[in-house]
């Protein structure tokens, strides 16, 4: 648990933090449901079920379409998807409370920040929409990987780009896919708003994480 009264020592030593996108940087449950329902409705299908909603919140779009669209309707669904304007869904996506303060605090400490998400082409537009893209380098999406989460390929790419060993890096996620990806890559996993995951630290919200960070002096940015 990230306890401001007694913050874990490793929080003061971390040199790089990787963030998942949906469910961590932003609350996009409503937007994801709307997006995939628009595709299904566009080919005359009923809305997705609650079970399918949980699936599409975690997986890459190609995997989601295979899950919710029959093979014989896939070409129609892809055509509907190509004609959707994802920017119309941005009003239904919300930045997590306290996120920007945490990003600024990490940046002030010289901690490297990255994004690793199973989103594809929309992640750059999403970061730009909320004006937080400048905090993250690199941004790894499913579209830039041969093997999306839970494979560790994306985290390995980030470690290589930073030149940091796995023991200096943590990954903040909210799903079992994130947990498995972090474990496979050998980095610490910090669970966000999901106490049911096996994690080195549970973060109930970003204001709590910020309070924990304030318990440590700033590191040398070099």
């Amino acid at each position: 648990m990230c306890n401001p009264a007694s913050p874990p020592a490793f929080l003061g030593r971390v040199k790089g933090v990787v963030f998942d996108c949906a469910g961590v940087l932003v609350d996009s449950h409503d937007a994801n449901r709307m997006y995939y329902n628009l595709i299904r409705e566009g080919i005359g299908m009923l809305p997705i079920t609650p079970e399918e909603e949980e699936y599409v919140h975690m997986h890459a779009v190609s995997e989601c379409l295979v899950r919710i669209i029959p093979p014989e309707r896939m070409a129609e669904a892809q055509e509907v998807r190509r004609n959707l304007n994802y920017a119309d869904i941005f009003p239904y996506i919300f930045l997590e409370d306290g996120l920007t303060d945490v990003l600024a605090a990490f940046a002030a400490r010289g901690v490297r920040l990255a994004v690793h998400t199973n989103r594809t082409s929309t992640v750059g537009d999403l970061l730009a929409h909320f004006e937080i893209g400048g905090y993250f380098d690199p941004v790894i999406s499913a579209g830039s990987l041969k093997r999306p989460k839970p494979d560790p390929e994306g985290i390995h790419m980030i470690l290589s780009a930073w030149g940091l060993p796995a023991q200096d890096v943590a990954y903040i996620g909210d799903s079992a896919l994130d947990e498995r990806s972090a474990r496979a890559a050998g980095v610490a996993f910090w669970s966000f708003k999901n106490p049911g995951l096996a994690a080195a630290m549970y973060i109930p919200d970003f204001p709590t994480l910020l309070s924990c960070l304030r318990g440590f002096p700033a590191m040398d940015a070099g």
Side-chain angles (χ1 to χ4, degrees):
M1 173 76 174
C2 182
N3 182 357
S6 181
F10 59 76
L11 184 56
R13 300 191 301 266
V14 69
K15 295 181 180 179
V17 177
V18 183
F19 288 77
D20 181 33
C21 184
V24 177
L25 297 180
V26 297
D27 179 347
S28 59
H29 267 96
D30 289 344
N32 285 343
R33 181 174 60 250
M34 178 180 295
Y35 179 73
Y36 289 104
N37 278 342
L38 286 172
I39 295 174
R40 295 243 298 205
E41 291 166 9
I43 62 173
M45 293 183 65
L46 293 173
I48 59 176
T49 66
E51 181 183 1
E52 289 169 335
E53 182 179 339
E54 286 305 307
Y55 185 90
V56 301
H57 182 66
M58 294 186 292
H59 292 79
V61 64
S62 58
E63 297 172 308
C64 294
L65 291 177
V66 168
R67 176 69 175 262
I68 69 169
I69 303 295
E72 66 274 13
R73 308 295 303 277
M74 188 62 71
E76 298 172 70
Q78 292 286 12
E79 181 62 23
V80 172
R81 179 186 170 221
R82 281 191 290 269
N83 289 312
L84 289 179
N85 184 355
Y86 198 82
D88 294 338
I89 301 177
F90 282 163
Y92 302 93
I93 302 176
F94 306 97
L95 204 65
E96 283 287 345
D97 290 342
L99 171 67
T100 53
D101 291 334
V102 164
L103 298 179
F106 274 130
R109 293 174 55 80
V111 176
R112 307 288 295 271
L113 304 176
V115 173
H116 176 30
T117 174
N118 270 351
R119 284 181 173 270
T120 52
S121 58
T122 60
V123 62
D125 291 339
L126 187 64
L127 297 177
H129 174 77
F130 287 109
E131 300 181 341
I132 57 173
Y135 284 107
F136 303 108
D137 184 28
V139 174
I140 304 296
S141 67
S144 59
L145 299 172
K146 294 180 180 178
R147 299 173 300 277
K149 292 185 293 185
D151 191 277
E153 178 188 2
I155 296 180
H156 286 160
M157 289 176 65
I158 293 168
L159 295 176
S160 177
W162 285 347
L164 290 177
Q167 61 265 29
D168 289 344
V169 173
Y171 181 42
I172 302 179
D174 69 320
S175 74
L177 287 183
D178 300 326
E179 177 194 326
R180 289 164 57 194
S181 184
R183 183 170 61 246
V187 302
F189 177 62
W190 297 350
S191 175
F192 185 73
K193 291 188 174 181
N194 189 343
L197 299 174
M201 181 170 68
Y202 168 61
I203 303 170
D205 51 58
F206 283 124
T208 299
L209 178 57
L210 182 64
S211 294
C212 287
L213 275 173
R214 286 173 172 162
F216 297 96
M219 295 188 303
D220 182 354

